[in-house]
Every structure is written in C-alpha cells, then in structure tokens.
Amino acid sequence: MAEPALSEMEFDAAGLAVRLRAVTKAYDNGVTALGPLDLDVAKGEFVSLLGPSGCGKSTALRLIAGLATPSFGTVNVSHRAARADGRHPIGFVFQEPTLMPWASVRENVRLPLKLAHAAAVDADRRIDEALAQVGLNEFAEAYPRELSGGMKMRVSLARALVTDPDILLLDEPFAALDEITRFRLNNDLLDLWRKLGKTIIFVTHSVFESVYLSQRVLVMTARPGRLAGEFRIAAAEPRDEAFRTSAEYAGYCREVSGALAPSYAGQRSA
Ligand code: ADP
C-alpha cells in the first residue's frame, strides 16, 4: 500500500531534508532515466549517489532541485520555495564551473542574489562571506581566465553558498580536476559541511570519493537508476589523509565496489 504523503510539518518534525517515493523519470524522447527510487535524506546528512555514467544521478538531483518534474512518484524537499531575502533553500553545483568569463569573481558570485532580486544592501557582505568560506577573498576582483580549475570550482561553490542554502546538491563537481586538487577540495568541502551544518547530496561515479566524503553511500543500478545498495560509512570524524590511507577506508571501498560492479555489467563496450 502506498505510504501517505507527509505534511510539511510532519516532514520537518521527522528531521528530513529530502524524501523521494516511487519516483521515476521518463524523458520526452522515451528514455526512462530513473527509478522507481525511494530515498530519505536527513537534515545535515552527507549522502553520495554513486553509479555509472548515464544511470540517472543528475536526473535525481534535478528532480530534488525542482528543475525537472517526476513522471511518477513524489518529491518532498524541506522549504523548497525561495524566500524574499534572496536566501534559497537549495544550492546547485555543476560539473562545469559555468562562470561568466567577462565578470569578476565577485560578480559571478553575486549572480544568484541578483536573480533573486535580493536587497543589495547586504549582498557585498554575503559575497565576502561566501568567498571566505571557499578561501578566495584575495581573488574577488580576478577574472575566471586568471584562475586554475580548482579555483574556478571554488567560485562555483561560493556562488552556491551565497544564498545560504540548507541543501547543497553537487553534481560530480570535482570530476575534471587533477587528483591532488580534488583531494584538497574534498577536504575543504568536508570542513564546510562540518562548519555550516548543511545537508549535502553529492553525485559521483568514484567509489573512492564517495567513501571518503559521505556518511552514507547509495549505490545505483545502471539506467534506469534504482538503489542497488546502501552503505553507512561509520569512520571517525574529522576525516583526513590518515583515513584516506587506512585499512578501514580500503575495506569500505572494497565493499562499495562490490555492490557497484553489477551496475557496470553489460557496459563493457561503453
Ligand atoms: P548520470 O548523471 O548518472 O550520468 P543523467 O541523469 O544525466 O545520468 O542521464 C540519465 C539518462 O537520461 C541518460 O541516458 C541521458 O542520456 C538521459 N537524459 C538526461 N537528460 C535528458 C533530457 N533532458 N532529455 C532526454 N534524455 C535525457
């Protein structure tokens, strides 16, 4: 029997940030990208969606962000409506930093506040705060062409943080970066998560990255993406390079890889 939908109050009282129930998504071209998928994410949790390319991970994020509507099922997100003060409950970071090349770092980060018609009074303060959170204060007046790939991604992260979202959705944000930069950004993201207490849903196809970052890893099947397995990563906090080289980390990676392997079966020619 279908579970009754929760009212917004019940949803909040249950400590939930996101709930998907029996969600499927078929695109107009007939591709069924996702589901059926059930998913609960608690407030303040760090969850990764891990699966092969094309299994519907981005689709799941877009449904949660309200950028797409499900074909079936329900998507609940705590307080998804935008607020008058330019705060927005959801921040979205894409794989490409997608910065405006003609605008400074400061003006790139200002964009969501402008789009939300937020009062300009405290916009500068908020931009400074977001830039400080990603360690880019000194580059506020720089242009994207002057920045490394990692720094561009930091700008993209600051642009997502400037509206002070409760939920951050990250779609393979570090996939194009070299390994050392990626490790550094992994650590900085974990620091931010600990400091800011946001709910993070992180999409990746890297077992290693998902285990390093998350409290919970949700392994998805090949398209249409469903849950293939769920792993609690109960490693002690804060995580650091010692964890990355530990037997505990290797053990989690092995378990998660085992659950992911069938999702790649039949994709050998891909
Ligand atoms: P992932 O993020 O796991 O790589 P996506 O959610 O981007 O997967 O895509 C899942 C499937 O849906 C893919 O086969 C992709 O080609 C298809 N797809 C994604 N977006 C659209 C769209 N707007 N229209 C049609 N098909 C799409």
Side-chain angles (χ1 to χ4, degrees), residues 37 50 56 58 70 110 129 133 159 161 164 168 182 224 237:
L37 185 66
L50 172 72
S58 303
R110 190 189 303 277
E129 197 174 271
Q133 282 163 350
R159 189 179 50 194
L161 290 170
D164 193 18
L168 263 184
R182 179 194 266 224
E237 297 279 349

Side-chain angles (χ1 to χ4, degrees), residues 10 33 42 81 119 126 130 143 158 179 207 210 247 250 267-268:
E10 288 168 323
R126 284 158 68 168
Y143 284 82
E179 199 167 64
V207 169
S210 70
Q267 286 206 335
R268 266 185 212 101

Side-chain angles (χ1 to χ4, degrees), residues 20-227:
L20 269 55
R21 281 294 176 267
V23 167
T24 63
K25 177 67 182 177
Y27 286 107
D28 292 343
N29 61 358
V31 169
T32 301
L34 186 74
L37 185 66
D38 288 344
L39 172 68
D40 278 354
V41 179
K43 282 188 179 153
E45 202 179 7
F46 196 131
V47 171
S48 283
L49 296 182
L50 172 72
S53 281
C55 79
K57 304 182 295 298
S58 303
T59 298
L61 283 196
R62 286 203 296 273
L63 290 169
I64 292 167
L67 299 173
T69 49
S71 305
F72 291 101
T74 54
V75 176
N76 286 114
V77 175
S78 59
H79 303 296
R80 189 158 68 178
R83 286 171 281 238
D85 60 358
R87 287 194 69 224
H88 196 281
I90 294 183
F92 207 125
V93 178
F94 302 93
Q95 181 173 345
E96 297 294 328
T98 57
L99 305 179
M100 302 177 288
W102 60 87
S104 66
V105 164
R106 173 181 294 286
E107 294 313 307
N108 269 287
V109 174
R110 190 189 303 277
L111 182 66
L113 297 178
K114 260 190 178 163
L115 292 176
H117 303 292
V121 216
D122 70 340
D124 280 310
R125 182 188 56 75
R126 284 158 68 168
I127 294 166
D128 285 339
E129 197 174 271
L131 288 174
Q133 282 163 350
V134 301
L136 276 186
N137 291 80
E138 287 170 25
F139 293 87
E141 308 311 326
Y143 284 82
R145 65 174 176 276
E146 301 171 80
L147 306 178
S148 67
M151 288 160 89
K152 284 183 196 157
M153 191 41 76
R154 286 175 193 276
V155 179
S156 181
L157 201 50
R159 189 179 50 194
L161 290 170
V162 78
T163 55
D164 193 18
D166 300 317
I167 303 172
L168 263 184
L169 305 176
L170 297 121
D171 193 356
E172 303 204 43
F174 310 141
L177 302 176
D178 68 80
E179 199 167 64
I180 298 297
T181 306
R182 179 194 266 224
F183 287 177
R184 213 171 274 155
L185 279 158
N186 283 168
N187 288 340
D188 292 352
L189 180 62
L190 280 179
D191 276 348
L192 276 174
W193 171 67
R194 278 190 290 268
K195 267 188 220 136
L196 304 178
K198 300 195 183 298
T199 307
I200 296 189
I201 307 180
F202 189 95
V203 157
T204 179
H205 56 250
S206 163
V207 169
F208 302 106
E209 190 172 44
S210 70
V211 170
Y212 187 72
L213 292 173
S214 320
Q215 293 180 301
R216 198 151 57 97
V217 176
L218 303 175
V219 177
M220 292 176 69
T221 66
R223 182 167 62 85
R226 286 142 292 143
L227 277 192

